[in-house]
Amino acid sequence: MLQMHFGPSILIVSSWLFLGFIFLDVFQLAIASSNVYIVYMGDRGYDESLLTQDLHHEILSNILGSNEAAKESLLYSYKHGFSGFAAILTESQAKLIADIPHVARVIPNKILSLQTTRSWDFLQVNSSIENGIMSKSHSGSGSIIGVMDTGIWPESESFNDKGMGEIPSHWNGICQEGEGFNLSNCNRKIIGARWYVKGYEAEFGKLNTSDGVEFLSPRDAVGHGTHTASTAAGALIRNASFMGLAQGIARGGAPLAWLAIYKVCWAAGGCSSADLLAAFDDAVFDGVDVLSASLGSSPPLSTYVDDVLSIGSFHAAAKGISVVCSAGNSGPYPQTVINTAPWIITVAASTIDRSFPTAITMGNNQTVVGQAFYTGRMDMNKFYPIVYGEDIAATDADEDRASTCDSGTLNATLARGKIVICFQSRSQRSVATAARTVLAVQGVGLIFAQFPTKDVQFFFDIPSVLVDFVIATSLLTYMEASRNPVVKFSLTKTVIGQALSPEVALFSSRGPSSLSPSILKPDITAPGVNVLASWSPASSPDTDMSKNNIPPLNFKIESGTSMSCPHISGIVALLKAKYPMWSPAAMKSALITTASLKDEYDQIIVSEGAPHKQADPFDYGGGHVNPNKAMDPGLIYDMGVSDYINFLCGMGYNNSAISLMTKAHTKCRKSTGLLVNLNLPSITISELKKSLTVSRTVTNVGPVNSVYTARVQTPAGTTVTVQPSTLTFNSTIKKLKFRVTFCSQLRVEGRYSFGYLSWEDGLHVVRTPLIVRTVIHDFYSQT
């Protein structure tokens, strides 16, 4: 074994975050060959960052043989929030470092993908509400939100600094210049901006920006980063709309919060985890309060000590920074939720009460209604022939595939000049694929039948109306009864307040966590469907916009957990402005225990799916966020680094790996209760055999003299006992511990059932989700 004495270190291979900028796409994960590696050394061993950097250089010099080779190899030295570095190494060099004592593991490189005028009013985050979260938090003044994304379009009106306070004295960040971006692009709103490309270029070569579709700077060429930043903290903009739709006032949740931009993702197709970790390191040094990251990796999930986003967020949370991440877009399937570390706030996506009805009129003057963003590309008074994809299949195409308008399945002669109706299938779920197929054969419009969902997609080149299977079948019936079936589209309308909402979005990834099923994920849901926010006019869709008389877009409607994530980031910034000493765990607790389980009409929230069903904690965590109640939660479940160490121990990670990560000598005690007793604002028991008692501690943040009484909605198949059933707080007693005992009433292998423990004092209802799955003791030995 190679003997070297540099102090403890852990080696982790660079991961790559590929951005799928169509946000309904399922996260795709693949292994790639890479020569970029991350040497992660846990918390800093030195207080002086220069000493830490010298240590990194010494390690590389010894491995590579010279100082010059080390300088050429080194990409980043992580020295602020934690210790480590990113470097270009061969596989054999990586193996040598892996043999150094205390190096925990070498992880293969991965490729991952990314994951308003109405939404904030829908959440009742409004300055006109007396004693609401906006007024109590002064619109987020004093909070700094860091956004890790594709950059920002600084000229957007959402980022003007009118009414903004002076840049805080504790801010250590910079305004990093680059192509199309200089110091003047930062202001009292955008107080910092950085960009990271070394890891990306080491992997894929120099980024070509000569075609004008990307900028080597914080400037956003994609639109995604501008959208998320303006959703979290954009200024109030009147008469915002997407091509005339969803017109109204656009604003962020924390309009007086400052923004710090960390561009880690690139239009050419990726964001390197070496770059991402550098951004985390800088953000900790810069002094942000909240980090918003709409990205992650789909299952199978990497372990928490292997995943760069989990590592970076751990060190951020340890420094008091709340990290908010998207839950993923792989729904409605179970066990697909991502970003499941307990120190992360993981956000699902749900709908708001705005819809975009679009009428389809048949030749017999009958009308059906779908959804679209149709603003008039065809002759509005003209009827067009309508055909079914299956009936115009190409000669060599399977009719079943043609019915879905899968790629290359339609006959161009029979489709030309017609509107084509297609049906979603298990193998072809994508309306984008159908639109491209119809456009390729010169069809003039698309009607796409899909599972019922409020999510709407827009295509510049071809009008596309989304309908459910019932409406599509009625159109087929008309077509069969008519000799020359024709239809026409009416302009889309914007309608508010006539749709049951919120509902959990079809695409939103569901729990339980495949990595840690005893930790409830997602944590919370927020608006993520058809969200209007600022956009980068440099972002060109796959079309010639000028040819279609479409001006550059300053606002755009998008859907995805990428859109719900910044809603929670904005709310956390408001909470931080009011409660600057609250920990990230306290923030999360306030969100979860005050969330709503019912929609605007006092009906139980529904989860979109096939079919729709009553939503449960695996769909939305604690429920739909209620920002005004989160401002006054009554009780909180708090946690710190020691709790996270217990979690890592409970996950089975070895003492040395945890010690390196936390800079605390750790000797994990043998206990089966470490995970279920983690002080989360939820209780999840993935294997209840006979009975189990778990404990929690709550902290009173409400009236000093308070008495809370327990009320339990018992999960099916169990009995639940709470001891004590009353909690009495006063000026000397601010924290109290209680125990909850679960007993199984089933003698069969059960499925997950759900309930709630609510602590009530007449003013507050502190609701804690209960999730239990019963199992037979020694089930396999009995078969």
Side-chain angles (χ1 to χ4, degrees):
M1 176 178 288
L2 181 64
Q3 297 295 320
M4 305 178 74
H5 302 283
F6 305 122
S9 61
I10 298 176
L11 177 67
I12 293 182
V13 180
S14 169
S15 300
W16 287 87
L17 302 175
F18 261 168
L19 303 183
F21 296 119
I22 297 175
F23 305 107
L24 300 183
D25 283 354
V26 175
F27 286 66
Q28 297 297 323
L29 177 65
I31 300 298
S33 59
S34 171
N35 60 348
V36 179
Y37 295 82
I38 297 170
V39 179
Y40 168 64
M41 303 172 68
D43 214 343
R44 291 189 305 166
Y46 302 103
D47 291 332
E48 289 292 330
S49 59
L50 286 179
L51 291 177
T52 303
Q53 186 171 335
D54 289 343
L55 173 64
H56 302 159
H57 190 270
E58 184 181 353
I59 293 172
L60 267 182
S61 296
N62 280 276
I63 288 291
L64 301 181
S66 70
N67 290 333
E68 291 72 21
K71 288 180 181 179
E72 291 181 4
S73 171
L74 185 67
L75 299 178
Y76 294 107
S77 179
Y78 311 130
K79 54 187 181 294
H80 300 302
F82 43 87
S83 177
F85 59 89
I88 300 172
L89 300 168
T90 65
E91 184 178 355
S92 60
Q93 290 165 346
K95 288 180 178 179
L96 284 175
I97 296 180
D99 285 336
I100 297 174
H102 306 297
V103 169
R105 58 186 42 80
V106 175
I107 305 166
N109 181 42
K110 299 174 183 176
I111 297 176
L112 305 83
S113 56
L114 266 183
Q115 311 290 299
T116 94
T117 52
R118 179 59 188 167
S119 58
W120 289 111
D121 285 337
F122 179 71
L123 292 174
Q124 296 189 328
V125 178
N126 195 310
S127 58
S128 64
I129 298 177
E130 188 176 356
N131 293 321
I133 190 171
M134 282 276 277
S135 58
K136 287 184 176 180
S137 67
H138 303 290
S139 299
S141 178
S143 293
I144 304 172
I145 303 175
V147 181
M148 295 178 170
D149 215 297
T150 63
I152 197 165
W153 192 262
E155 289 82 8
S156 169
E157 279 297 303
S158 292
F159 309 123
N160 78 76
D161 61 1
K162 182 179 180 180
M164 294 297 301
E166 292 299 320
I167 297 173
S169 58
H170 70 271
W171 174 246
N172 297 315
I174 64 171
C175 186
Q176 185 179 0
E177 296 184 297
E179 292 179 352
F181 198 98
N182 55 43
L183 293 177
S184 66
N185 291 123
C186 292
N187 55 17
R188 285 181 292 115
K189 181 67 177 180
I190 306 171
I191 63 172
R194 297 178 185 262
W195 52 285
Y196 306 83
V197 76
K198 292 178 182 178
Y200 179 90
E201 290 190 333
E203 190 75 25
F204 297 108
K206 290 294 183 182
L207 198 61
N208 179 19
T209 61
S210 61
D211 53 8
V213 298
E214 185 53 280
F215 305 93
L216 286 172
S217 74
R219 184 171 292 278
D220 183 11
V222 176
H224 187 270
T226 299
H227 198 284
T228 56
S230 63
T231 298
L236 187 149
I237 307 298
R238 300 185 185 277
N239 296 316
S241 74
F242 173 56
M243 300 176 65
L245 298 173
Q247 189 164 13
I249 296 174
R251 59 184 173 87
L256 293 185
W258 293 292
L259 282 169
I261 304 304
Y262 300 89
K263 182 176 178 178
V264 295
C265 308
W266 300 90
C271 44
S272 159
S273 63
D275 296 336
L276 176 63
L277 204 55
F280 268 112
D281 188 40
D282 284 337
V284 171
F285 173 78
D286 291 347
V288 302
D289 299 302
V290 185
L291 276 172
S292 188
S294 295
L295 39 84
S297 166
S298 61
L301 303 182
S302 298
T303 63
Y304 296 118
V305 294
D306 296 340
D307 176 62
V308 166
L309 202 153
S310 294
I311 292 168
S313 61
F314 173 87
H315 290 286
K319 301 298 191 296
I321 301 168
S322 292
V323 181
V324 186
C325 295
S326 50
N329 298 338
S330 298
Y333 306 111
Q335 302 180 12
T336 54
V337 65
I338 64 172
N339 296 323
T340 61
W343 48 83
I344 291 173
I345 302 176
T346 308
V347 189
S350 47
T351 64
I352 59 176
D353 62 344
R354 181 173 60 199
S355 57
F356 300 92
T358 307
I360 304 170
T361 304
M362 293 170 271
N364 60 5
N365 287 324
Q366 296 287 319
T367 298
V368 294
V369 178
Q371 286 214 104
F373 298 138
Y374 177 55
T375 57
R377 286 279 312 284
M378 300 186 295
D379 186 337
M380 296 303 299
N381 298 313
K382 180 180 177 180
F383 282 87
Y384 291 84
I386 181 172
V387 292
Y388 177 30
E390 182 178 278
D391 295 334
I392 59 168
T395 304
D396 58 347
D398 179 83
E399 287 186 354
D400 288 340
R401 290 183 60 226
S403 71
T404 70
C405 295
D406 205 351
S407 300
T409 59
L410 302 183
N411 183 303
T413 302
L414 299 177
R416 186 176 296 113
K418 298 180 177 67
I419 292 174
V420 183
I421 184 169
C422 318
F423 279 72
Q424 184 183 68
S425 71
R426 287 187 178 183
S427 60
Q428 207 302 87
R429 299 176 57 193
S430 170
V431 60
T433 296
R436 287 191 294 266
T437 301
V438 174
L439 182 64
V441 292
Q442 299 181 43
V444 295
L446 168 67
I447 299 173
F448 191 74
Q450 62 179 9
F451 300 127
T453 175
K454 292 183 174 67
D455 177 33
V456 183
Q457 295 188 56
F458 176 78
F459 304 95
F460 286 91
D461 285 313
I462 186 166
S464 303
V465 182
L466 309 179
V467 298
D468 61 25
F469 284 78
V470 173
I471 291 175
T473 302
S474 70
L475 287 168
L476 290 184
T477 301
Y478 157 69
M479 292 163 63
E480 291 172 358
S482 175
R483 182 174 300 176
N484 296 299
V486 292
V487 296
K488 67 176 181 179
F489 296 163
S490 296
L491 294 177
T492 295
K493 297 181 178 180
T494 303
V495 176
I496 292 175
Q498 296 185 21
L500 282 173
S501 53
E503 294 180 350
V504 179
L506 182 75
F507 58 77
S508 186
S509 291
R510 307 314 205 250
S513 166
S514 59
L515 181 58
S516 51
S518 60
I519 307 299
L520 175 60
K521 291 290 179 172
D523 292 305
I524 196 79
T525 190
V529 177
N530 303 331
V531 175
L532 179 75
S534 290
W535 197 251
S536 168
S539 174
S540 299
D542 296 329
T543 183
D544 185 343
M545 295 177 66
S546 60
K547 179 184 69 176
N548 295 316
N549 296 317
I550 300 173
L553 297 176
N554 295 311
F555 292 89
K556 197 166 184 280
I557 295 174
E558 287 289 332
S559 295
T561 52
S562 282
M563 281 64 249
S564 58
C565 172
H567 277 88
I568 296 299
S569 302
I571 294 167
V572 172
L574 296 176
L575 292 173
K576 187 72 173 180
K578 176 65 175 177
Y579 304 111
M581 300 309 294
W582 276 16
S583 69
M587 301 286 184
K588 181 162 73 170
S589 175
L591 295 173
I592 291 174
T593 61
T594 61
S596 175
L597 306 183
K598 294 186 177 182
D599 63 24
E600 288 185 301
Y601 297 91
D602 205 36
Q603 302 297 306
I604 298 297
I605 292 176
V606 166
S607 178
E608 290 185 343
H612 285 31
K613 68 175 184 68
Q614 180 176 311
D616 60 52
F618 288 155
D619 300 314
Y620 56 29
H624 189 265
V625 66
N626 188 325
N628 292 309
K629 286 189 175 181
M631 183 61 77
D632 182 22
L635 304 176
I636 58 170
Y637 295 83
D638 208 357
M639 289 194 296
V641 172
S642 61
D643 299 282
Y644 301 139
I645 290 174
N646 285 335
F647 166 74
L648 295 170
C649 288
M651 289 294 295
Y653 303 136
N654 63 58
N655 293 334
S656 60
I658 299 172
S659 297
L660 291 169
M661 189 171 182
T662 62
K663 198 186 173 183
H665 177 69
T666 300
K667 187 174 182 180
C668 292
R669 55 190 174 90
K670 293 184 178 180
S671 173
T672 58
L674 289 176
L675 296 181
V676 293
N677 288 309
L678 193 65
N679 204 44
L680 292 164
S682 60
I683 299 175
T684 305
I685 303 173
S686 58
E687 294 185 358
L688 178 63
K689 295 177 180 178
K690 292 182 179 179
S691 67
L692 182 67
T693 298
V694 302
S695 65
R696 291 291 187 273
T697 299
V698 287
T699 302
N700 181 27
V701 293
V704 173
N705 298 308
S706 300
V707 178
Y708 285 84
T709 302
R711 180 171 60 86
V712 178
Q713 179 183 333
T714 305
T718 68
T719 61
V720 178
T721 305
V722 182
Q723 290 292 336
S725 59
T726 300
L727 301 177
T728 302
F729 297 92
N730 54 42
S731 59
T732 59
I733 301 175
K734 298 182 179 180
K735 292 185 178 184
L736 285 172
K737 186 175 183 178
F738 64 89
R739 291 176 173 82
V740 186
T741 300
F742 298 82
C743 294
S744 173
Q745 301 297 297
L746 300 176
R747 304 308 304 157
V748 295
E749 287 289 299
R751 56 179 175 267
Y752 281 102
S753 58
F754 307 95
Y756 293 92
L757 163 61
S758 298
W759 289 104
E760 302 175 355
D761 69 345
L763 178 63
H764 304 92
V765 177
V766 185
R767 187 187 299 108
T768 305
L770 307 177
I771 303 95
V772 180
R773 182 172 69 97
T774 59
V775 297
I776 298 177
H777 183 58
D778 295 331
F779 174 73
Y780 290 103
S781 65
Q782 298 176 22
T783 57

